[in-house]
Every structure is written in structure tokens, then in C-alpha cells.
């Protein structure tokens, strides 16, 4: 065999290793082998030239390495061929004579032989096979002599790497909220219709109920959803769902909806069909699926030159095949309304002469192809560029139109007045093209036959004429059946009211909604009726009863109702219509709808061509918004802020678009709904709700205590207006009632304890209350007749004082000075008697006590909790007749304990119950609170959460039916049991001094809060929920944002685009605003020059001449005819207020300095006092300097240095003196700023198409790219050079637009934390995520193993396997070189492990894996704790 054939076979073996290439032509293999030879030849010749320059004849490693770094064509080998060659292996000594045994080599441990005792070879005929785990096998064709060589590349590369890569967990804080598609259909056998809504990564099913939408079920999708359609099941009213996942690996999924006996729905994937083709070119304009109304056929467009046809039988997948499409660049496809057993596609496309053409082709199922010539059903036509001025920018749409079944006599065939057709929507006009009649089709076929005959004839002249005639027909513009002017901007969504009714809802990109009517189209033409404004729609779905679902990407999805009459003022037009468009009045429609007698005569006098249609000029809006769903997409920019310095972080985003621009404040926690407030009651330290009787439902009084006195208020509430009346009680003599001249330490309703004949105590309803002051305890009884409290008994102290107290329904716990502790009971409701007593001291001074029952069903406590001064220790005692018996002690806490509570958060009252979760909680004097799980009479795993610096109080309450604890200090939070863990839900409340439950006819299940300004009454809702506050800005779209804490203002870059008509000049105005951080009112404004656009905003507060000077830097540019901007400015602003103006009323912006940059400032960051700007392809450093040698000092931005080694720098991030650079055309670089000068440290030379970067630390970078990947880079320093090593990859399936260092939640302080939140990221879909570093290498291995086992045990929908779904991808899909994610964990996926803790069989399947080596080694309990901790971070 000659050398060329040998090389060809070697190349063929390598190609066989790629499973995605099943067949390779011989010619292709030959060309690849030649190209490989040529490449090696060039590399060796270049290396030889380097050696010759150094006067050597031997080519060494350093010569090849030099070539790689000097020649661009070899630059991709930089990481493969290191600069420093490895040390040559030591020479082997020859084996001793007679020796037959050799030592195993490194390769031997990777060789698996069927017969270890025999030595075998891999023959030339061996095939190379790549396994799913990344290893490669070389096996001979003979099974008897097979030997396999395994190359575990991951293990080898991990040894080569000089640095350990930190594993990162990607978790979701806020799910994608942008709506992509929707459809209405009937999914179940019940008489109930459903709305199916698709977002980026999930599908949700809602049922249409009389009261609105009801969520039935949802399904997470492993992929990026592009389209959603219903598949009718023939012979039934039901449908299935067809889901199209988009590139880079498109997939078609058939979903079936089922319900159990309880009516709980579930979506299941019955067929997942991969459409992926590595070789084909991706469709540029049309990635969609259309379903035939019969439900028997669907056609998918996702690649150029071909379509995928899928057939169904009874709603179930049957088969699929590809058909070649002569039309390459499709804009849209739709099934035409033809005969039942015929399938004809209307195709709108861009032909080879860049003309938009509409034609039809028949789908020939038996032949598995499209008709070779256009169908005669729809006459081909060229659409004028005046109608579609920019089809490649604003992609037109097609929609089928049903035929009229009630036409007048003689119209059309078979009584049809209109034969059906297709609408072309998306230009300056809406065009309607009617289908051809049978006679017309026969005439076209006859003409076609004659032309073909002439073309094939012997007469060359006639044949040439026939070809010209055919070409002339192809270029002909056919007259449309009807058209109507489109008065507004680009059409973004369209839907039919009913398949048999020719009415359509159409929405444009500014949310201007209209209805197109084609009823009686041949007489009236197309009628366009404006309706009003909605959110900018991406999808429209008609529901029922004139209600419409509006899905949106730029605004909130809505349910709107179309009213038959205007709902707003009739003085303003429904929608603004340009003056050049002719309109008709609504009265004309009223006359036309009659169509008989005099009305018909009147219509005939109207000089109007029905083929040109009409736009109705109406007044008032017909749109009524019934319901809105929060959407924060798209996220343009964001900041993570702690406005009040309390530690509670909020994410403030720039979101929305068109006329729905908004700033959103996103936080996690609980929501407090204030129902009433009573100002003026200040300095309250504690508060209690009081009932007339213990078992009453409603409270009748409120007792409030200050540092000097106590105040009683009577509640007058009959279910309407509620009033509080201050009850005057003196408390100075015996039997005089409440003690009001002293502060109250504890107060509460108690039961009447009576012993029965058997000696067992009974606890009866009573009117008794207990009040504790520092002088002792008082037993009081409420007199309903007088409305006053009367004293029944008292417990006085001899020279001692009460320092802390607690009351439960039958016990009073008193802590006295000197370390004394007493527990009292009420004997027959008349006297106090000590139950347990420790009055001889022996304990440290006590700071707080609690006797709240751990079992809420019991009126007494078995355990009491005591905390001490000095030691800051909490001790738990059990009540025993012999005294207080200690059962547990905490370790010393970091501050004095001011409140303490032993509390069970579950619904079970016994330790044997599954929902029994007791915790010891303590509020500390330094503004934090601590909690311990209480298990087996032991305290475990202390955790601390900070609420500011004021002492923290604890109050038990019930929120949303859950037992909870309200912790209040400078900030407030609610503790509850969520997701099998104790969860803290912050509330936007400040300086709450005391809290108690309140229940009245008006304020049911509420809380009453004591604040510095008075008393507030309200409800806590939505524990552990995402809370979003939106500040609508309308047409003012926020694009960039920065925060300056010293001024407490946001700097916001605004772009405003007025609604326009398609084809008109688009006018936009940009500005920079300062907005108050609490109210978001505009404090100052700067308008950019006409035509300028804001591209970057950053805040910085340098110290200049010893004084902090808060500054805002703003980058603006002017778009030009070139793709790369050539004009731009960098502006520096300062802000201040005059003495007569408060900050919240106004600020003045001063333009300190500006500099022309001759490009676009894409990004800004800072290194000390140096401003670093990304301008086109350069990174520049500036410094603000002042001239002191002039009478009036002036400021200027001085250019210090420039680094210009990129194409388009779109993102910058700084960490210390390091700068991470993201290049849109390349990858990332790491720079250093020294004295204002920019120095290159290292860069990655791969084509990564970066979108956003952030510096994790001085040596690490995280990057997102246009292919929706996340990647991490680490600086690797070698002896002679440094390089950026890409050590992590993960396909997020979402476009990240912003990285922010930090965490969206207040961190729980834990000892030896293995998980650390590192970044917050925001995506264009509205997703907000968190990237968490795993600092423990062993935990990284455990989480990786869990992810692997879960992927084998839990099937997903879409994406193939979970491993392939998260593997990094390019536009061509997943690469065989990177078949799995690297150094990333899917946090949302591994957290599903917690849902299987109650399913032993499934849990064992996950733990055991598919083989014994895959068994998880971390105990389930420890894994549960890790995942619960992970959940708490997002």
C-alpha cells in the first residue's frame, strides 16, 4: 500500500470517531488528507526557516513554538504547542538477558485486554470510537483478539493544568418572564378550553375559567423554545401540543396533556424528534412550524433549502422526512385552505434577485417531496419593494384566509363569494391574494403545457420566446384581491379570531392593537379598525368573550377585553393615524353592515374602491386590561444596591422597550400590605393584642408599653370603620385595674385552670389576663359591663425586681435580679402559686426568658428558655417539681441576648411527626439573630443573620397559614419552614420595635407593628417570594444605569423613540437623568445632542484635593452610515443641590468635562482614579485633571494610554488594577493599569464572540457569548509568558447581558462556608441568576457525581441528555471535542434531589447510579444540607 493510501486510511479512521458524521464521501476524505499534508508541510517549512535563521540544521520544539506565535494562520495552536518543551524522557536501559517480564508503563493502565496474560496489538484495521464519557477506543475488528485502548483525556488534562479550577454552580433567582408563543386549544376530554404559553425554557398550561386563568401545570424544557402550535386530533375536539426548539440543535417535541381523577394536569413528551444537521445552513429569517388544520401534517422550517415534513395519525407521531425547497430564504410559510386531502404551502421568500415573491407548492406525501413547479392554486407574484421596503430587516408574515361559505349567487364556484387566500403582512400595506378558481387553474396549466411544448420544440426562435415568456411571468406582479394601508410600525403579532371567521387581531411593536375584517371582502374590501394600546405583543391569542391574551417580550403579558363601545374619553382618537392615510368614519360601517334598501343605495354613492380597503378613524379606546403578568425582560443593564446600608440587597434593572420602558426593583422576601396606620404613638417598646375572653376570635384591646408607662386602647370594629379609644386606667390603688404608670414587661390572656375529680387539670375559657411589670405579676379580670379590668390577685416581690418575663395560657415565667427564676401558675383563677422556683440565685444575671409552649395545642410549656448577661449563653430547662433541670446550653453568642424563643415551625406537635421542626431562636443586641435546630434535646448548626445594629425582638405569628416568627430590628424578616428548611424572608420594613398578632372583623389575620412614627396594621403575604416594584417610564426606555451612594441617586441613560409609521424616518432622543433612589423621581436631566445615543453610564467617587467628588461618566455616540461608529463623546458630570433645595426635590447636573472619542463608548470601568473606556476596537485610559494656574479652575479628561488589539470591545470589568476585556468578534483579554498606563497580561485567541465579561478576581474572568455559553478563564503563568486558560464551559440557553459581583440575598454567616455566591447575571429573557463558587474540591466532586446520577435517573424534555443539553455549543451545535459542561454545575437541576427525599425507591436509584463506581459517597443527610444551603443563596 503506497503512502497516500495509508494516509487516507488514517484520516478515515479519525473521521469515524465523530458519531455525528455517519457517511463521508471518498473524495472528501481524500481532500482532507491532502489538506492535512499541506498544513503539516507549511508548519514544518516555517519551523525550518526559523532554525536556519539561527544557523541550525535541526528543527527544535522552540522553532515550532515561535512559528505558532508569529504567524496568524498557526495562532490557534498556541495552547496545544506550549512555549516551553517538556523534559525528554529518560533513556531506558536494555532489558537483562533472559528477562521476559517488564515493568508496566503509563499506557498499560489505560489498556483493557480480554486476556490479561496475553499480549496483543491493535491492528491497522482497528476502528477508533469515541465514547459518551469522552474516552476513545481503538478496537480491532476481530472480537476474539480485541484489545481496547482508553484515553481518558479529562484525567490527563487535569494533571497538565497548573491551577485548580473552582467549580461554579449556576442557579436561577428569577425565571425567564418573556413570552414567546401561545395557543388556545382543548387539551382534555372535559368541556374546558386551555391556553398554552411558551417562554424561553418552559411551557405552562392554563384553563379558561369564568373568573380568569387557572394554572394547571408546567413543564421545563431543555432547550430554547422558538414556536408553539396545537395539533388537532381528528374525530375529537382535543388537541396535542407541538413544540419547536430552536438552534443550534433544533428539535420538535410532541406533548400530550393528561389529568388524574383529581383534575391535576400533566404534560408528557410522547415524541422528541431531532432536526439537527451539522452541515446544513441555518435558516436566516424563518424558524417555525406550521400545522395543517386537519392535524395530519406539520411542516418545519429551520434550515435553508429544505423543509421537514412530519405526519400524524390520530394525534400521534407517524413519520417524518425531508423535502428539498427550491426557495432558499424563506420569510414565512402557511397552509392554504384547499381540499381536505390536499396539502399546499404558501411560501413567501426572497429570490436570487433580492425580490420578495409569493407562491405556493404542493406537499406530495407519497413522493416525499414538494412539487417541482409552483402550484396553480395561488398564482406566483412579485411583491413591490414599495410595500415591503426592508424585508430582511422587518420580516413579513403570511396568514391563511378561509373561504366564504355564504357568497351571493353567481360569485365564484359552488356558491363561494371568496375562495380563500393568504394575507401578506409586514409592509406599508396589508395585501390579500385570493386563491385561483378551478377554471383559472386549468387555464394556467394549459398555458404551462404550451410553453413547455414550445421550449422543447425544434424551432430555436420559438423556444427562446417561450423561455422569455416564462421569465416574464415569473417577474410579473399580480394584482391583489384587496389591500389596506398599514398606518403604524412593524407588525409583531397576528392571530385569527376564529378559523372560520375572517377577522384578525394585529399588533405592532408599540402595542397598537387593531382588528382586520375581511367579511364580505369583495364588496367592502379590507377594513382596519383601531382598538387601542396594549403591551408590545410577541404573540396574540383570542380566548373567548372578546378577551385576548397578549404575550410580550418588552412589556407585561396581559389579558385584555375588547369592548363594543369606547371605554375612554371620546375626545382623543383611538390610535393616531398619519394624515396621508385616507380614513372612513364608524358611521360608514354601520350603513355598510345593513347592506339593504336605502342603506345599500347610500353605500353605492360612496366613491371608494373596495380593493384598496379602508382604515376606520374612531375615537376612544376599546381595550380594557383585565389582568397583567409581571415581566422584567429584556434586561439591558442592572446594578446591585444596598440603599440604606442595612445589608438587604436589591437588583435595579433597566427593562422593557417601545412604550413600556421601566425600571424594576427586584428583591426576595415577604410583602407587607399596610391596611391602616395610626401616627403619633411613638416610643413604643412592646405591644400586645387583648381579647375579652381567652377563646374569643377577635381582639378587643391593644396594650402598648413605653419605657415610662403602659397604654390601653379599646378597638371599636363592627366590620366597617375601625377606631381606637384610649382607655384611662390609673392603676394607683387596689382593684383599680391595669397598672399604667409603669412599663409592662409581659401581658396575655390566660385560661382558668381547674382540677377535676380525678385530679387532672382542665383549662377553661376565662376573662383573665396577666400583666407583669418590674414590681411583680398581676392577675386581672375583664368586666364586659364596665369595659374595665379589675385586679384579682398579685405576686409581689420583697426588695427584688422583675428583669424579664414571659406569659403563656397557664404559666408566668419571671426572671428576677440576682439570677433568680420563678414559674407561676394560677390556682382556680384566683391566686398565683409557684410551680417551680429557683430564688436562691446561683444563675448569672438573666437577660431574657421565654415559656412559649413548644406544642401549640397545649396551654402549658414543658421547656423554658433563659439567656444570661456576660456569658451570652442560652440555657434550656425542663420544668420539674424539684426545680429547673438544665437539658441544653448554647455556646457563647457574639452579643447580648435580648429576646429568646423555643419554637416549632411545623404542623406536627409531636417529635415523631415528619412536619415537626423545633428551633431555638435568639435576638441579639448587636442587630443580629441566631437560630439552632433543636433535635434530640441538642442544639445543632448555629446560623446568624444580621438585621442591622438595633436589638432584635422575636414574635410568633401565623403567615399564610404557616407558623412563623417575626424578627425585627433595623430591618425585619419572617422565619418560616419553606422547601424543607428554615427560610428567612426579608420585608421592606425598617425600625420595627415590637410586633403582635391582631384579628378584628376588618383586620383579620393581621399584624400590628410599632414603628418610630406610630402604629401600622397590615398583613404579611407571599413568604419567600420574588417581589418586583416597577417604575413605568413609557416611551423613555432606560438602557444604562449606575448608582452613587453618596448622593443616593441613580444615573440612568434614557433613549426615547416616538411611535412611527413603517417606512418613515425614525426619530429618537437620548438623555441622562438623576433619579431619587427611593421615589425614582427625576432630580436632574441632561439632553444629548440630536442624533446622539447613550451607550454607557458609570458612577465614580474619587478623592480630589482631599475631598470626595461624586461623578457620573456618560458615553454617547452618533450612528453613521458605516457599521462602526465614527463620532462619540465621553462626558463627565457632577451633581449638587443649592442650599434652598433639598436633595429629593432637585439636583443640578454640571458638565465637568468632555472629550471626543471618534467612536462609540461601549463600556466604562475604573481603576483607582483612572477611567477606562472601551471605544470601538480600543481600550483607553483617562484621568480627570484640573488646571490650578488659571483664575477659574477648569477640568479636563486627559488621555493616558490606549491599547488597540481588538475588533469591537463591548464589555469591561475591573478588579483591583486588572481589567477584563470582552471582544465581540474574538474572546477575552486580561490587562493591567499601572499609573494610568495599560499593559497586556494575557489573552485568549479563540473566536468566542463575547457579549459580557466580569472579573471574578485578579486572575479569573467569567464570560458570556453570543452562542449563549458561559465560560471561565484563569491566568496561567509560565516561566516565559502568561496565557488565559479556558477552564470552564456551560450552555445557559440564554443571552447574558450583565454580570454583577455579589449576591442577591443577604448571606447567612456560617462557619467554614463551602459555597460562596460570586456573581449575579441578568439575561435578555428576564432571567436573573446566581453563580456560586464551590470552595471545597471534595464537595465539587460530590455535586458533579450527583448531577451525573440525576441525569441518568431523571429524563428531561428536549436537549437529548442533560449532559448534552448543558455542553457548550456554537451555531453548529455541540462539538465532539466538548461533549459535556466543564467545571459548572446546574444548580436548579441538582436541587431536584430534594424533591425525591420522600421517595425511597427513586432516592436509592439516584444514590446508586448505574454502576457501583457511580454510587454517591456523600450521605443523603449531608447532601440535603448542602442543597438547602444552596437554595438559600437564590
Amino acid at each position: 500500500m503506497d503512502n497516500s493510501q495509508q494516509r487516507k486510511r488514517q484520516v478515515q479512521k479519525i473521521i469515524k470517531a465523530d458519531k455525528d458524521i455517519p457517511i463521508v464521501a471518498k473524495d472528501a476524505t481524500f481532500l482532507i488528507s491532502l489538506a492535512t499534508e499541506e498544513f503539516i508541510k507549511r508548519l514544518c517549512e516555517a519551523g525550518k526557516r526559523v532554525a536556519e535563521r539561527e544557523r541550525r540544521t535541526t528543527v527544535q520544539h522552540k522553532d515550532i513554538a515561535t512559528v505558532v506565535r508569529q504567524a496568524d494562520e498557526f495562532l490557534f495552536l498556541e495552547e496545544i504547542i506550549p512555549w516551553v518543551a517538556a523534559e525528554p524522557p529518560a533513556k531506558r536501559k536494555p532489558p537483562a538477558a533472559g528477562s521476559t517480564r517488564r515493568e508496566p508503563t503509563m499506557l498499560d493502565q489505560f489498556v483493557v485486554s480480554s486476556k490479561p496474560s496475553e499480549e496483543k496489538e491493535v491492528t491497522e484495521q482497528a476502528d477508533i470510537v469515541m465514547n459518551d464519557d469522552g474516552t476513545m477506543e481503538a478496537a480491532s475488528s476481530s472480537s476474539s483478539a480485541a484489545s481496547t485502548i482508553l484515553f481518558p483525556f479529562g484525567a490527563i488534562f487535569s494533571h497538565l493544568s497548573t491551577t485548580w479550577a473552582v467549580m461554579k454552580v449556576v442557579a436561577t433567582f428569577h425565571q425567564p418572564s418573556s413570552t414567546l408563543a401561545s395557543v388556545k386549544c382543548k387539551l382534555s376530554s372535559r368541556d374546558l378550553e386551555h391556553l398554552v404559553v411558551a417562554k424561553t425554557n418552559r411551557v405552562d398550561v392554563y384553563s379558561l375559567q369564568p373568573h380568569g386563568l387557572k394554572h394547571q401545570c408546567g413543564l421545563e424544557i431543555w432547550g430554547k423554545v422558538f414556536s408553539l402550535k396545537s395539533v388537532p386530533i381528528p374525530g375529537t375536539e382535543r388537541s396535542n401540543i407541538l413544540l419547536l426548539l430552536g438552534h443550534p440543535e433544533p428539535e420538535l417535541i410532541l406533548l400530550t396533556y393528561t389529568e388524574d381523577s383529581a383534575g391535576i394536569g400533566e404534560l408528557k413528551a410522547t415524541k422528541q424528534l431531532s432536526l439537527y444537521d451539522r452541515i446544513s445552513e441555518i435558516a436566516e429569517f424563518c424558524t417555525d412550524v406550521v400545522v395543517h388544520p386537519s392535524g395530519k401534517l406539520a411542516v418545519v422550517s429551520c434550515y435553508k433549502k429544505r423543509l421537514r415534513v412530519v405526519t400524524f395519525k390520530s394525534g400521534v407521531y407517524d413519520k417524518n422526512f425531508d423535502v428539498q425547497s427550491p426557495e432558499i430564504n424563506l420569510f414565512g410559510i402557511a397552509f392554504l385552505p384547499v381540499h381536505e386531502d390536499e396539502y399546499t404551502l404558501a411560501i413567501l421568500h426572497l429570490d436570487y434577485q433580492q425580490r420578495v415573491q409569493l407562491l405556493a407548492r404542493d406537499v406530495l406525501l407519497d413522493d416525499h417531496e414538494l412539487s417541482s413547479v409552483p402550484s396553480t392554486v395561488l398564482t406566483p407574484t412579485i411583491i413591490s419593494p414599495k410595500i415591503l421596503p426592508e424585508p430582511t430587516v422587518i420580516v413579513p408574515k403570511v396568514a391563511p384566509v378561509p373561504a366564504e361559505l355564504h357568497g351571493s349567487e353567481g360569485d365564484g364556484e359552488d356558491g363561494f363569494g371568496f375562495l380563500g387566500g393568504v394575507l401578506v403582512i409586514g409592509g406599508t400595506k396589508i395585501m390579500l391574494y385570493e386563491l385561483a378558481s378551478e377554471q383559472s387553474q386549468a387555464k394556467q396549466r394549459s398555458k404551462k403545457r404550451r410553453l413547455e411544448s414550445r421550449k422543447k420544440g425544434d424551432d430555436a426562435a420559438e423556444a427562446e420566446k417561450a423561455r422569455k415568456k416564462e421569465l416574464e411571468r415569473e417577474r410579473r406582479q399580480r394584482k391583489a384581491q384587496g389591500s389596506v394601508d398599514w398606518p403604524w410600525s412593524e407588525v409583531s403579532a397576528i392571530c385569527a379570531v376564529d378559523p372560520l371567521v375572517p377577522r384578525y387581531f394585529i399588533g405592532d411593536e408599540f402595542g397598537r392593537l387593531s382588528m382586520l375584517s375581511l367579511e364580505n371582502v369583495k364588496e367592502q374590501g379590507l377594513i382596519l379598525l383601531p382598538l387601542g394600546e396594549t403591551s408590545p405583543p410577541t404573540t396574540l391569542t383570542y380566548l373567548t368573550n372578546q378577551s385576548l391574551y397578549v404575550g410580550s417580550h418588552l412589556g407585561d403579558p396581559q389579558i385584555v377585553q375588547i369592548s363594543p363601545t369606547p371605554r375612554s374619553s371620546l375626545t382623543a382618537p383611538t390610535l393616531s393615524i398619519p394624515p396621508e392615510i385616507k380614513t372612513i368614519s364608524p358611521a360608514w360601517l354601520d350603513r355598510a353592515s345593513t347592506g339593504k334598501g336605502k342603506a345599500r343605495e347610500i353605500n353605492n354613492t360612496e366613491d371608494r374602491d373596495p380593493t384598496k380597503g379602508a382604515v376606520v378613524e374612531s375615537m376612544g379606546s376599546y381595550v380594557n386590561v383585565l389582568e397583567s403578568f409581571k415581566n422584567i425582560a429584556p434586561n439591558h443593564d442592572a446594578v446591585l444596591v444596598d440603599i440604606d446600608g442595612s445589608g438587604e440587597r436589591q437588583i435595579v434593572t433597566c427593562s422593557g422597550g417601545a412604550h413600556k420602558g421601566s425600571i424594576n426593583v427586584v428583591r426576595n422576601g415577604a410583602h407587607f400590605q399596610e391596611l391602616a396606620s395610626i401616627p403619633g404613638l411613638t416610643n413604643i417598646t412592646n405591644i400586645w393584642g387583648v381579647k375579652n375572653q381567652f377563646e374569643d376570635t377577635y381582639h378587643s384591646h391593644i396594650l402598648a408599653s413605653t419605657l415610662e408607662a403602659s397604654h390601653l386602647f379599646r378597638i371599636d370594629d363592627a366590620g366597617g370603620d375601625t377606631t381606637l379609644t384610649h382607655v384611662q386606667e390609673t392603676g394607683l390603688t387596689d382593684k383599680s385595674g391595669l397598672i399604667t404608670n409603669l412599663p409592662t414587661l409581659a401581658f396575655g390572656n390566660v385560661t382558668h385552670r381547674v382540677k377535676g375529680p380525678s385530679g387532672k387539670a382542665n383549662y377553661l375559657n376565662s376573662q383573665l389576663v396577666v400583666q407583669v411589670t418590674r414590681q411583680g405579676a398581676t392577675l386581672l379580670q375583664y368586666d364586659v359591663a364596665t369595659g374595665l379590668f379589675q385586679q384579682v390577685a398579685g405576686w409581689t416581690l420583697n426588695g427584688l425586681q422583675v428583669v424579664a418575663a414571659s406569659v403563656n395560657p397557664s404559666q408566668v415565667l419571671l426572671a428576677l435580679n440576682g439570677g433568680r427564676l420563678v414559674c407561676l401558675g394560677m390556682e382556680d383563677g384566683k391566686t398565683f402559686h409557684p410551680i417551680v422556683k429557683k430564688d436562691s440565685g446561683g444563675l448569672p444575671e438573666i437577660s431574657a426568658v421565654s415559656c412559649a409552649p413548644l406544642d401549640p395545642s397545649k396551654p402549658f410549656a414543658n421547656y423554658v428558655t433563659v439567656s444570661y448577661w456576660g456569658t451570652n449563653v442560652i440555657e434550656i430547662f425542663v420544668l420539674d417539681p424539684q426545680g429547673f433541670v438544665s437539658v441544653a446550653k448554647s455556646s457563647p453568642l457574639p452579643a447580648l441576648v435580648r429576646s429568646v424563643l423555643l419554637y416549632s415551625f411545623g404542623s406536627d406537635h409531636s417529635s415523631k411527626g415528619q412536619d415537626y421542626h423545633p428551633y431555638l431562636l435568639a435576638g441579639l443586641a448587636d442587630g443580629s439573630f441566631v437560630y439552632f435546630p433543636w433535635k434530640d434535646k441538642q442544639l445543632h448548626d448555629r446560623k446568624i443573620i444580621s438585621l442591622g445594629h438595633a436589638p432584635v425582638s422575636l414574635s410568633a405569628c401565623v403567615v399564610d397559614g404557616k407558623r412563623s416568627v417575626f424578627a425585627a430590628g433595623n430591618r425585619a424578616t419572617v422565619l418560616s419552614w419553606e422547601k424543607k428548611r428554615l427560610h428567612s424572608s426579608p420585608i421592606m420594613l425598617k425600625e420595627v420595635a415590637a410586633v403582635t398578632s391582631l384579628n378584628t372583623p376588618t383586620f383579620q389575620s393581621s399584624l400590628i407593628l410599632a414603628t418610630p412614627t406610630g402604629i401600622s396594621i397590615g398583613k404579611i403575604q407571599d413568604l419567600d417570594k420574588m417581589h418586583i416594584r416597577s417604575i413605568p417610564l413609557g416611551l423613555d426606555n432606560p438602557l444604562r444605569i449606575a448608582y452613587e451612594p453618596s448622593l443616593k441617586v441613580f444615573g440612568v441613560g434614557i433613549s426615547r423613540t416616538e411611535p412611527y409609521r413603517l417606512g418613515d424616518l425614525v426619530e429618537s432622543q437620548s438623555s441622562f437623568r438623576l433619579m431619587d433612589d427611593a421615589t425614582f423621581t427625576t432630580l436632574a436631566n441632561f439632553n444629548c445632542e440630536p442624533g446622539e445615543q447613550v451607550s454607557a453610564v458609570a458612577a465614580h467617587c474619587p478623592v480630589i484635593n482631599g475631598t470626595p467628588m461624586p461623578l457620573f461618566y456618560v458615553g454617547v455616540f452618533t450612528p453613521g452610515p458605516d457599521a462602526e461608529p465614527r463620532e462619540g463623546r465621553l462626558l463627565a458630570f457632577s451633581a449638587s443641590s443649592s442650599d434652598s433645595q433639598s436633595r429629593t426635590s432637585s439636583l443640578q447636573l454640571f458638565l465637568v468635562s468632555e472629550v471626543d472619542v471618534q467612536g462609540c463608548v461601549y463600556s466604562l470601568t475604573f481603576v483607582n482614579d483612572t477611567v477606562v473606556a472601551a471605544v470601538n476596537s480600543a481600550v483607553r485610559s483617562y484621568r480627570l485633571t484640573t488646571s490650578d494656574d488659571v483664575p477659574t479652575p477648569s477640568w479636563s479628561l486627559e488621555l493616558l494610554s490606549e491599547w488597540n488589539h481588538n475588533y469591537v470591545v463591548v464589555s469591561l470589568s475591573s478588579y483591583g488594577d486588572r481589567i477584563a476585556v470582552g471582544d465581540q468578534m474574538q474572546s477575552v483579554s486580561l490587562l493591567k493599569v499601572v499609573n494610568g498606563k495599560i499593559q497586556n497580561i494575557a489573552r485568549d485567541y479563540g473566536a468566542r464572540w463575547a457579549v459580557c465579561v466580569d472579573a471574578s478576581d485578579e486572575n479569573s474572568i467569567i464570560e458570556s457569548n453570543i452562542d449563549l455559553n458561559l465560560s471561565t478563564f484563569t491566568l496561567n503563568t509560565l516561566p516565559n509568558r502568561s496565557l488565559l486558560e479556558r477552564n470552564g464551559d456551560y450552555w445557559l440557553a440564554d443571552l447574558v447581558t450583565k454580570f454583577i459581583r455579589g449576591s442577591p440575598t443577604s448571606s447567612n454567616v456560617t462557619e467554614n462556608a463551602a459555597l460562596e455566591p460570586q456573581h449575579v447575571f441578568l439575561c435578555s429573557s428576564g432571567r436573573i441568576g446566581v453563580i456560586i463558587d464551590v470552595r471545597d474540591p471534595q464537595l465539587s466532586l460530590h455535586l458533579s457525581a450527583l448531577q451525573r446520577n440525576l441525569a441518568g435517573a431523571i429524563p428531561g424534555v428536549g436537549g437529548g441528555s442533560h449532559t448534552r443539553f448543558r455542553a457548550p455549543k456554537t451555531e453548529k451545535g455541540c462539538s465532539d471535542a466538548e461533549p459535556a459542561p466543564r467545571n459548572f454545575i446546574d444548580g436548579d437541576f441538582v436541587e431536584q434531589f430534594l424533591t425525591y427525599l420522600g421517595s425511597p425507591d427513586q432516592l436509592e436509584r439516584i444514590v446508586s447510579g448505574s454502576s457501583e463506581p457511580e454510587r454517591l459517597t456523600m450521605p443523603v443527610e449531608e447532601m440535603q444540607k448542602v442543597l438547602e444551603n444552596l437554595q438559600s443563596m437564590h
Side-chain angles (χ1 to χ4, degrees), residues 648 672 684-687 898-901 921-930 945-957 964-975 984-996 1007-1012 1020:
E648 288 299 330
F672 181 75
I684 294 176
T685 58
N686 219 329
I687 193 167
R898 295 297 301 268
S899 58
V900 67
L901 183 63
L921 302 99
L924 307 185
D926 65 351
S928 61
F929 73 90
V930 61
I945 297 178
S946 175
L947 295 180
H949 56 269
V952 175
S953 63
L954 301 172
S955 302
C957 58
S964 308
V965 171
F966 192 107
N970 289 118
R971 304 191 311 274
T973 190
V974 176
L975 296 169
S984 173
S985 299
I987 314 175
M988 297 300 289
L989 294 171
K990 298 180 182 179
E991 310 298 339
V992 177
V995 181
T996 190
L1007 294 177
I1008 184 165
L1009 283 62
T1011 66
I1020 296 177

Side-chain angles (χ1 to χ4, degrees), residues 256 279 633 671 714 864 926 1044 1237:
T256 302
I279 300 174
H671 173 64
R714 183 176 64 250
V864 296
D926 65 351
E1044 178 48 54
K1237 304 298 183 181

Side-chain angles (χ1 to χ4, degrees), residues 99 101 115 160 228 249 286 402 408 412 468 473 576 593 614 645 656 671 901 907 977 1028 1078 1131 1178 1191:
S99 175
R101 184 177 180 85
K115 295 182 180 180
L160 293 178
L228 177 75
E249 297 184 352
C286 180
S408 58
K468 289 183 178 180
R473 287 181 179 176
S576 178
S593 63
H671 173 64
L901 183 63
S907 58
W977 188 257
I1028 301 174
L1131 313 174

Side-chain angles (χ1 to χ4, degrees), residues 79 157-165 1228 1230 1242-1245 1259-1261 1271-1278 1282-1289 1382-1383:
E79 294 184 5
F157 289 152
S158 65
H159 289 294
L160 293 178
S161 178
T162 59
T163 57
W164 172 71
V1228 300
L1230 185 63
R1243 63 186 307 186
D1244 175 64
Y1245 291 96
N1259 295 321
S1260 302
I1261 299 174
S1271 299
T1272 55
F1273 298 82
T1274 299
L1275 180 65
N1276 195 354
T1277 303
L1278 299 176
S1282 298
L1283 57 88
L1284 276 179
E1285 178 185 356
R1286 181 160 56 93
N1287 54 13
D1289 294 287
R1382 185 165 52 129
N1383 283 331

